[in-house]
Amino acid sequence: MKFLNTITVLTLSRNLAFAVFLGLALAACDSEVSNTEEDVVALTFSSQADAGASAFATNCAACHGANLEGTTLGPILSGFNFLQRWGSQTPTLLLGNIKANMPPGGAGTLTDDDYLDIVAHLLEANGVDAVVNALTASTDFVISENISSVVQRQQRAEPPAPQGVTVAGNVDDFVPFVPITDAMLENPDPADWPMHRRNYYAHSYSPLDEINTDNVGSLSLEWVWNMHEGDSEPAPLVYNGIIYLINPGNVVQALDGKSGELIWENWAGPANRQDMRNIAIYDDKIIQATTDARLIALDARTGEQVWETIVADSSKGFSNSSGPIVADGKVILGLAGCARYIPEDCYISAYDANNGELKWQFETIAEMGQPGGDTWGGLDDVFRAGGETWITGSYDPDLKLTYWGTAQQKPWVPVSRHMTIFDVGLYTNSTVAVNTDSGELDWYFQHVPAEALDLDEVFERVLVNRGDDKLVFSLGKYGILWKNDRVSGQFKGYTETVFQNAFTNINAETGEVTYRQDIQNAQLNEWTSACPSSAGGKDWHSMTYHEPSGTMIAPLSQTCLENAAREVALVQGGGGLAASRKFFEMPGTDGNLGKVGAYNVDTMEEVWSHQQRASLHTGTISTAGDLVFVGDLDRRFKALDVHTGEVLWQTRLGTAVQGHPVSFAIDGKQYIAVTSANGGTSPRTVPSVIATEIKYPSRGNAIYVFSLPE
């Protein structure tokens, strides 16, 4: 396939427009008002909205629909979803968010007046009818208070959203529930998949071998369960034949793994369409993080709530998109939504699994006067942002250390954050090893200091023992598989899994990276290109370690980007991401966006690769049957030979295959389960810009379970 030409990329990038609008953190409001006092007097809110309708049609409608209804490229900007996100906010905050971050490929094409007009159009289209005066950059009314229908609705009783148990049942009616212990989590029963990535070491490996390279061609569908709609990247748990499943909108369900029958359902709220990747199980409790930064324990038998605690203040932008890991009786959880300039920073925190009591917090942003505090270019603490831990960590029970990846500094480019390429910003874009008893940092290794392209290293840490060596592997958006000693953090090696040209050198002895000179010196509104793009390399889709062959097998992405920094004022309450982007195919890939790569963990050499046009949207799992399972955007779920990468079986699901597959057994029979789902930012939007020929339904969240015929 030929690479897209520049004009095509620019056009597609503009069409991408507001694609990640609702998921981005609020950015600083522009201090300049482009309208003169005379212009403001001449304008009205209505005339702005009319002009905004035209600007929206040109710049935004291709992704969000002519009527703001949303498409596969961009979320809905009308109705309940919009008002839930923005109803309690002000036009100033909405304007600041759009100006700082959108459209991704259109910096310079929209004026300040255009942005105000688009905001007016969005507000009018969502029912704002009590405003006459034209909007300015400092308009600060509460949006929902200027929508007559909303005000009237608030004045009369409305049925509340579902809360708590909505389907009653008891697991004991299907199989006697046995509380799960620390020892059972340290050495899971082969029939179970009791945590995200199955074990503390994050291997995503099943010791089951009934389904193998000889018979996988006979795999057939056992049953399907339709899930709630919304953004979804789920990682089911399976314990003693029961599947525990997280749905969009903070809904947890318990299903009988043999029949697919629903046992119980609990709505923890908020009842939105947002994504949560995983939950945890410990003792007799399902531990659930929520998208509004709460932590909840449910009775695993009935779904009834046992306890609840607040992790962070969601009104300040904090959230979660991944759940916890339970280690030695402590629920350990990361945090997302840390891009704003506020006094509070991101942290990893631990809670007593019995009652939710806070045990410790480890902040991932080093402040003034603390170790590492001198690595932020002298910025005041309030302007140090980022360091999210939005992917669940792993755990070594012998060392009593939990390993987490941290995200990059915010905004995305050093010049936007008023820093240089030499201001490394600890402890961002690092592996951090934290003592599970005390919450103290044991060691860190910063993979990419002063990250400049939104290519973070936040993803899973896979723990591997090779002889006497205790190792930790990680693979981030740069597509570099890192190998470190997990006792000391010492760098042990690396390999490049996809083409990258951001670094001119990676020191083979220390792992130190050197950016290209133009990336180091990038100024505001100056385009620089780099491979990979913000879709990765590798993103949230977990890799698997096949211990019998000593092979790490990862789902990879092969796209590139152009990136331009935007200006962000150092204003408390501001911040954001602040970059424009364009996307294109990776050179040398023949148009193949998706790659499954296998790497020997001793030599770090590539063993095999499978490449395809469709991007991959599940994690990989491997089994003792010498199989690797993975799913893609084009609705295909595949089984590959773990030794060669040969495709041995595939089927097509109702929509894109997305989430984290699992394998389990009931009464000695092995099953493979995978979810279909939609949603997501860069991993979904970038392929949608480049591989426009791949079509899939915008609905169809479900879990599919496969087995061999009797």
Side-chain angles (χ1 to χ4, degrees):
M1 177 166 291
K2 296 180 180 179
F3 299 143
L4 299 177
N5 60 39
T6 302
I7 294 175
T8 303
V9 171
L10 285 170
T11 302
L12 291 173
S13 299
R14 288 197 183 99
N15 286 345
L16 184 58
F18 289 67
V20 292
F21 166 37
L22 292 183
L24 297 175
L26 299 178
C29 300
D30 197 319
S31 59
E32 296 183 6
V33 180
S34 60
N35 299 318
T36 65
E37 291 183 7
E38 292 80 7
D39 291 332
V40 172
V41 171
L43 289 173
T44 65
F45 174 77
S46 179
S47 66
Q48 283 180 314
D50 289 343
S54 177
F56 184 91
T58 301
N59 295 279
C60 321
C63 282
H64 295 280
N67 298 312
L68 286 67
E69 71 272 21
T71 72
T72 56
L73 290 178
I76 187 171
L77 299 180
S78 60
F80 174 79
N81 290 333
F82 180 86
L83 293 178
Q84 185 177 53
R85 174 68 178 88
W86 290 104
S88 62
Q89 306 298 328
T90 68
T92 295
L93 291 174
L94 179 57
L95 175 68
N97 180 281
I98 298 173
K99 288 188 67 175
N101 300 299
M102 296 294 145
T109 62
L110 295 175
T111 67
D112 287 353
D113 288 339
D114 290 332
Y115 281 113
L116 281 167
D117 293 344
I118 288 171
V119 170
H121 170 59
L122 291 175
L123 297 184
E124 185 181 69
N126 279 281
V128 171
D129 56 3
V131 178
V132 175
N133 295 331
L135 302 180
T136 72
S138 57
T139 301
D140 62 356
F141 61 75
V142 176
I143 292 172
S144 63
E145 293 179 359
N146 287 270
I147 303 174
S148 299
S149 60
V150 172
V151 173
Q152 293 172 2
R153 195 160 59 243
Q154 291 172 344
Q155 293 173 347
R156 65 177 186 268
E158 288 284 341
Q163 189 73 30
V165 174
T166 55
V167 175
N170 196 313
V171 166
D172 284 332
D173 294 336
F174 291 77
V175 59
F177 185 86
V178 178
I180 192 165
T181 64
D182 292 292
M184 295 163 70
L185 290 175
E186 287 184 27
N187 186 25
D189 188 301
D192 294 334
W193 196 283
M195 69 181 76
H196 188 22
R197 306 183 297 259
R198 193 177 178 274
N199 66 0
Y200 281 140
Y201 279 22
H203 285 180
S204 295
Y205 168 79
S206 170
L208 299 174
D209 62 2
E210 179 194 14
I211 302 169
N212 54 55
T213 55
D214 292 330
N215 59 25
V216 68
S218 300
L219 208 59
S220 60
L221 184 64
E222 184 81 24
W223 56 263
V224 180
W225 172 259
N226 281 2
M227 299 170 59
H228 291 264
E229 290 299 330
D231 289 1
S232 191
E233 301 165 3
L237 302 184
V238 188
Y239 173 59
N240 202 16
I242 305 299
I243 297 175
Y244 296 94
L245 185 61
I246 182 72
N247 283 250
N250 303 286
V251 177
V252 175
Q253 297 171 329
L255 305 170
D256 175 38
K258 183 180 292 187
S259 66
E261 183 174 347
L262 178 64
I263 301 173
W264 58 255
E265 177 181 87
N266 182 290
W267 292 54
N272 51 32
R273 295 168 60 89
Q274 292 181 15
D275 183 23
M276 177 61 60
R277 293 182 182 87
N278 68 287
I279 51 183
I281 186 170
Y282 183 75
D283 191 24
D284 59 352
K285 303 174 185 66
I286 298 296
I287 313 294
Q288 173 189 6
T290 65
T291 55
D292 62 348
R294 292 175 294 139
L295 193 62
I296 294 172
L298 307 177
D299 187 312
R301 296 178 179 85
T302 65
E304 295 284 354
Q305 183 172 308
V306 179
W307 55 255
E308 176 180 345
T309 193
I310 303 297
V311 175
D313 187 348
S314 61
S315 70
K316 297 180 179 179
F318 294 114
S319 63
N320 275 110
S321 60
S322 293
I325 186 172
V326 182
D328 198 24
K330 300 179 185 67
V331 182
I332 304 176
L333 185 67
L335 194 60
C338 312
R340 294 181 63 193
Y341 293 154
I342 58 176
E344 297 84 359
D345 290 322
C346 252
Y347 46 77
I348 303 165
S349 50
Y351 305 84
D352 189 312
N354 294 313
N355 54 28
E357 177 186 348
L358 176 66
K359 307 301 290 185
W360 52 256
Q361 288 182 349
F362 168 73
E363 291 193 357
T364 57
I365 300 297
E367 298 182 341
M368 288 183 173
Q370 296 178 346
D374 58 352
T375 62
W376 284 82
L379 283 179
D380 290 341
D381 289 340
V382 72
F383 301 126
R384 303 179 181 198
E388 293 90 343
T389 45
W390 56 276
I391 293 292
T392 307
S394 49
Y395 172 55
D396 186 325
D398 296 324
L399 297 175
K400 298 290 185 182
L401 295 177
T402 184
Y403 301 84
W404 293 70
T406 61
Q408 74 281 62
Q409 298 155 295
K410 304 295 188 304
W412 281 333
V413 186
V415 66
S416 297
R417 47 187 189 252
H418 301 264
M419 298 171 72
T420 73
I421 202 71
F422 304 106
D423 299 318
V424 301
L426 292 176
Y427 296 95
T428 60
N429 244 30
S430 302
T431 296
V432 294
V434 178
N435 184 286
T436 54
D437 289 331
S438 66
E440 295 179 355
L441 180 67
D442 193 83
W443 61 260
Y444 75 91
F445 182 86
Q446 191 171 38
H447 300 277
V448 183
E451 203 285 315
L453 296 165
D454 180 31
L455 303 183
D456 47 334
E457 299 284 336
V458 73
F459 309 109
E460 75 278 2
R461 268 49 187 168
V462 181
L463 312 185
V464 171
N465 295 332
R466 299 297 286 177
D468 294 332
D469 292 334
K470 296 179 181 293
L471 305 168
V472 52
F473 288 81
S474 61
L475 179 54
K477 288 189 178 182
Y478 283 93
I480 296 170
L481 179 62
W482 302 98
K483 180 180 181 179
N484 290 78
D485 185 290
R486 76 170 182 269
V487 178
S488 65
Q490 180 184 2
F491 172 77
K492 304 290 285 187
Y494 78 95
T495 192
E496 298 179 23
T497 65
V498 298
F499 171 71
Q500 75 82 20
N501 62 5
F503 305 132
T504 57
N505 183 61
I506 303 175
N507 188 298
E509 299 298 322
T510 66
E512 181 181 3
V513 301
T514 303
Y515 271 117
R516 272 189 356 239
Q517 200 67 40
D518 61 327
I519 297 175
Q520 292 188 39
N521 299 329
Q523 300 302 304
L524 295 174
N525 301 313
E526 180 178 292
W527 290 98
T528 56
S529 66
C531 300
S533 79
S534 54
K538 197 185 81 64
D539 207 280
W540 56 263
H541 321 89
S542 302
M543 56 187 171
T544 178
Y545 175 56
H546 185 257
E547 186 172 8
S549 63
T551 309
M552 197 74 67
I553 306 157
L556 304 168
S557 178
Q558 300 184 130
T559 58
C560 304
L561 86 165
E562 292 187 58
N563 192 70
R566 297 186 179 188
E567 184 174 6
V568 178
L570 291 177
V571 178
Q572 186 164 342
L577 307 179
S580 304
R581 25 271 317 267
K582 310 168 189 177
F583 305 102
F584 56 97
E585 292 175 1
M586 182 175 284
T589 62
D590 196 28
N592 287 314
L593 276 61
K595 174 181 176 180
V596 182
Y599 304 89
N600 183 287
V601 297
D602 297 323
T603 67
M604 301 296 281
E605 295 177 348
E606 185 172 279
V607 180
W608 55 260
S609 72
H610 166 79
Q611 300 192 46
Q612 58 180 57
R613 176 63 170 168
S615 53
L616 303 167
H617 287 263
T618 72
T620 49
I621 69 166
S622 58
T623 73
D626 289 339
L627 296 169
V628 176
F629 290 91
V630 69
D632 66 31
L633 185 68
D634 202 26
R635 304 191 286 123
R636 288 182 169 86
F637 184 46
K638 301 180 178 182
L640 285 66
D641 188 308
V642 79
H643 299 292
T644 66
E646 179 187 357
V647 177
L648 302 177
W649 169 88
Q650 63 179 316
T651 190
R652 218 163 187 197
L653 307 187
T655 190
V657 192
Q658 182 163 285
H660 299 81
V662 300
S663 182
F664 60 96
I666 302 174
D667 298 331
K669 180 177 181 177
Q670 184 181 0
Y671 299 85
I672 304 292
V674 69
T675 52
S676 61
N678 287 300
T681 51
S682 290
R684 181 58 67 102
T685 57
V686 175
S688 296
V689 168
I690 296 174
T692 56
E693 77 279 10
I694 296 178
K695 309 296 183 184
Y696 50 88
S698 60
R699 293 177 178 269
N701 291 357
I703 181 170
Y704 294 75
V705 176
F706 299 89
S707 66
L708 295 174
E710 295 290 348

